Amino acid sequence: MSSHEPVPLFSAQFDLNSQEFSLSGILRPLSPVDIADTTALLEKSINQVRGVFYINVKRLIHMNAMAYNALARLLVNASRTRRDIRFVVVTSSVVGWATRTFRHLHAIEPKIAVEAYDSAFYPGQTFVEDQSFIPILRTQTKMTWRHEREILPRHGMRAGIAMADICCGIGDFAVLAHKEFKPARIVALDHSMASLEYARKVAADFDIRDIEYTYGDASQMLLEDNQFDLVTCRHSLQIFNRPDLLLKELYRICKPGGRVYITNEKNSHCLGEPRAASIQWTYNEVATLFAHFDMDVEMGPKSRRLLLDAGFEAIEMENFMVSNLDGDPQDFADVITAWENVYAGEMSVRRGDTPEFIKRFRQGFQDHIFAALHPKGYAGWPIWAASGRKPL
């Protein structure tokens, strides 16, 4: 955490509907009396349930030995006396010590399982973790920035603000925003260590020292409430299987009166001419492919509803078309080539598609490239941008 953030307080809560006992913040009791209320609540919670009982420590930043021993003793005893309950400790790789520490409980009592939440929540992460994908991500940002730099002021971007870029990826959007708009503070958070390592290198190469790159789980951020005037989350809600949870967190860290800005796509509306029919067929199949992996690349037009459902007001929404006419057509072609390699390669193969399907699937991407490079051709990729204001 940066020096801007106060030390998080500790809290313990129980949700009977989900049978989940949650610990967050810093737990450092100096005596058994200091943790008595927490253990009493845990014991009371256990007595109210049957089946699976979840102990959520995804946002538990630190816990001393006294706290761990008290909780471990209670859980082990309960697992041995309550045969009708299975205990699951839910951790996060963002707080790595928790997974290592609580796994000792499983060795003592096999009925206590430990599950790392992140891998299930980020179904699309592995498809873009490869270092070879980084140049394409930079090209995509270069192409979208031509449009976004014009529209961002309508969504709350201005000089001197505190800004957070959540799911920042390789950090190039944060760098561009820093250069163009000069926010007073930028926090850039992502779940990929490889992406953040690259982001820090790019910032250093440009001698930018005041972007706070942070490793974190976007659904359980270790950031305080009501911190930022503008929170951005670009091309990310669509690749999470619970976008409502992300929006809840974006809402939480946004200041009252501040705005949350999101961008999403509708892949079935990608288009090109000539060879329009082949291109259309392939991008319809892209949407179906992503849905198989619990991702929604048709989310763009749904953005207004998602923001309203999350509690935002004064929604601003617009869309723009990234095309082969935005700068060098080869940039557009390179992006489509990368999509073909990932979608018709790894993803389609993992789904178990037939060679015949994959051949036709690839042809649509190749026809899109043909349209992009054709001297009389047109190729487009539509994006929806939307923002909402957090009520005062």
Side-chain angles (χ1 to χ4, degrees):
M1 290 182 296
S2 76
S3 60
H4 296 273
E5 301 165 27
V7 175
L9 299 174
F10 169 73
S11 71
Q13 298 177 331
F14 175 61
D15 182 352
L16 181 59
N17 288 335
S18 59
Q19 299 196 168
E20 181 177 75
F21 183 83
S22 301
L23 299 171
S24 63
I26 295 175
L27 181 55
R28 290 174 175 163
L30 300 178
S31 71
V33 174
D34 296 335
I35 198 175
D37 288 346
T38 300
T39 54
L41 177 60
L42 176 57
E43 190 167 17
K44 179 181 177 181
S45 304
I46 292 171
N47 289 335
Q48 296 180 68
V49 304
R50 291 185 301 174
V52 180
F53 182 82
Y54 296 96
I55 304 95
N56 180 344
V57 295
K58 290 181 289 183
R59 297 182 68 181
L60 186 61
I61 298 170
H62 181 75
M63 176 176 62
N64 66 10
M66 178 171 290
Y68 173 75
N69 290 334
L71 295 173
R73 186 164 49 250
L74 196 158
L75 290 173
V76 169
N77 289 339
S79 68
R80 291 174 177 173
T81 58
R82 291 290 307 276
R83 296 298 177 182
D84 57 336
I85 296 180
R86 183 169 69 89
F87 294 88
V88 177
V89 180
V90 184
T91 66
S92 168
S93 63
V94 174
V95 188
W97 65 267
T99 303
R100 296 190 299 272
T101 300
F102 281 98
R103 275 184 179 152
H104 294 302
L105 286 180
H106 179 69
I108 297 170
E109 176 50 66
K111 278 184 63 182
I112 302 175
V114 179
E115 296 181 357
Y117 168 81
D118 309 76
S119 59
F121 191 76
Y122 293 78
Q125 189 77 40
T126 57
F127 297 123
V128 295
E129 282 273 296
D130 194 298
Q131 292 283 326
S132 64
F133 207 70
I134 285 177
I136 298 304
L137 294 176
R138 292 197 70 178
T139 301
Q140 286 186 178
T141 302
K142 180 174 72 172
M143 294 166 64
T144 60
W145 181 251
R146 296 185 179 102
H147 301 269
E148 288 186 271
R149 67 186 299 185
E150 301 298 326
I151 70 173
L152 276 165
R154 297 197 286 272
H155 297 272
M157 180 71 84
R158 62 188 185 278
I161 63 171
M163 169 191 165
D165 185 27
I166 306 305
C167 305
C168 69
I170 59 173
D172 45 352
F173 177 79
V175 168
L176 290 167
H178 178 277
K179 289 181 175 182
E180 181 83 12
F181 296 102
K182 297 179 171 51
R185 181 191 180 200
I186 301 180
V187 173
L189 178 144
D190 201 83
H191 182 259
S192 166
M193 292 296 290
S195 294
L196 285 173
E197 181 181 353
Y198 181 87
R200 293 188 180 102
K201 180 181 181 301
V202 169
D205 289 345
F206 287 115
D207 198 29
I208 296 174
R209 305 182 185 279
D210 48 357
I211 297 177
E212 303 166 37
Y213 288 107
T214 304
Y215 178 57
D217 176 355
S219 72
Q220 295 277 334
M221 291 183 280
L222 303 179
L223 295 171
E224 294 300 305
D225 298 355
N226 306 319
Q227 281 199 64
F228 302 101
D229 302 291
L230 177 65
V231 180
T232 61
C233 187
R234 303 166 56 261
H235 304 284
S236 297
L237 291 174
Q238 62 190 26
I239 63 168
F240 290 95
N241 61 2
R242 289 292 306 278
D244 56 315
L245 294 183
L246 263 71
L247 281 167
K248 183 178 179 180
E249 278 291 271
L250 302 181
Y251 184 97
R252 182 182 66 81
I253 67 172
C254 183
K255 292 179 181 178
R259 298 190 73 85
V260 166
Y261 168 85
I262 60 175
T263 62
N264 293 289
E265 304 164 38
K266 186 174 178 65
N267 264 231
S268 65
H269 282 203
C270 286
L271 51 86
E273 182 65 43
R275 303 182 181 177
S278 170
I279 295 166
Q280 183 67 68
W281 182 88
T282 283
Y283 284 100
N284 284 334
E285 292 299 327
V286 167
T288 302
L289 175 65
F290 271 75
H292 176 81
F293 292 102
D294 295 323
M295 295 180 275
D296 182 8
V297 291
E298 299 288 278
M299 186 175 286
K302 306 171 188 175
S303 299
R304 183 171 184 269
R305 173 176 56 81
L306 289 168
L307 288 168
L308 287 169
D309 288 348
F312 294 97
E313 61 184 15
I315 309 301
E316 296 283 346
M317 185 164 169
E318 52 197 299
N319 69 302
F320 56 88
M321 182 72 77
V322 177
S323 80
N324 60 324
L325 305 183
D326 294 333
D328 186 352
Q330 187 61 54
D331 285 343
F332 195 99
D334 290 344
V335 168
I336 306 308
T337 298
W339 291 354
E340 178 190 346
N341 291 337
V342 174
Y343 305 165
E346 183 179 355
M347 292 179 71
S348 195
V349 170
R350 188 179 297 185
R351 187 174 62 171
D353 293 333
T354 65
E356 293 77 17
F357 174 89
I358 293 174
K359 181 179 179 180
R360 184 180 178 188
F361 195 33
R362 285 189 179 276
Q363 187 60 53
F365 293 113
Q366 292 162 13
D367 288 339
H368 207 196
I369 293 168
F370 179 84
L373 298 179
H374 193 285
K376 298 180 181 179
Y378 181 82
W381 166 37
I383 295 172
W384 275 256
S387 69
R389 184 176 65 206
K390 182 175 179 176
L392 292 170

